[in-house]
Amino acid sequence: QAGCGSMTVVVTGVVAVKGVYAVNAEDNSDNCGGDGQEGEGDPLLPADLAAEQKPLRSAFFTMFPVFMAYASLVTLQGDLKTQMGIEDGTEMSNKFSFATSLCYLGNLIFRLMHNILFSMFTPRQRVYIAYLCLITSVSTIAIVYYWVGSKDIGWLYAIYLIGGVGIGTFESNLISVITPLGHGTKKWAQMGIPLGFNGVSVGAFI
């Protein structure tokens, strides 16, 4: 159930981010069709003009669902472990811990290396890749472990690594592509980080 809810909000985020990009599509058209170098062709605005731009409050939904999905991967591991029937202190428990730790490994690698490993993509395209990774991760949990009821731990290695790739790639690239929309828009987007994460990490236990 947690996985299905996260998949829904991530899909909502994809829709929201498309709306944000549509507002700036004309200015960014050259960059989107370019050779994939980050930042090339971005219409960076003077500080005073960026500050005066009317904020797009819908930018909130670009980050909000992503961090709900991330919180589902991080804070609901105990529920998933119970669903799989894994007891603490067993060999399966150790394997489960290793598998879930791949989320942090993927996050670390792609937070540092996304410019190299995804150098053929523009920042905007990397944002969509991050959404796809997180949708794949949480939807696979929902389908494999909560719908089908599988106990196979093998899926978890790919699930959590892909989720880490998504969250590690997402933040800096989203900020890069919404910068031309002004400081107010970035503030609304960043509000989605604590509200999205805590909405699951706190809300799931109420």
Side-chain angles (χ1 to χ4, degrees), residues 100-115:
T100 55
S101 70
L102 293 179
C103 182
Y104 306 107
L105 179 62
N107 188 350
L108 174 63
I109 292 174
F110 278 81
R111 193 173 292 273
L112 298 174
M113 302 288 287
H114 65 88
N115 280 330

Side-chain angles (χ1 to χ4, degrees), residues 74-123:
V74 173
T75 64
L76 300 182
Q77 293 174 9
D79 183 75
L80 177 58
K81 194 173 183 179
T82 300
Q83 175 70 18
M84 295 176 66
I86 298 175
E87 297 181 359
D88 292 337
T90 63
E91 182 181 354
M92 287 297 292
S93 178
N94 293 333
K95 290 181 178 179
F96 180 90
S97 297
F98 175 73
T100 55
S101 70
L102 293 179
C103 182
Y104 306 107
L105 179 62
N107 188 350
L108 174 63
I109 292 174
F110 278 81
R111 193 173 292 273
L112 298 174
M113 302 288 287
H114 65 88
N115 280 330
I116 297 173
L117 299 175
F118 285 157
S119 61
M120 69 292 295
F121 300 110
T122 65

Side-chain angles (χ1 to χ4, degrees), residues 3-4 6-7 132 134-145:
C4 290
S6 298
M7 180 176 65
L132 180 61
L134 287 162
I135 290 171
T136 300
S137 182
V138 295
S139 62
T140 304
I141 289 177
I143 293 170
V144 172
Y145 294 110

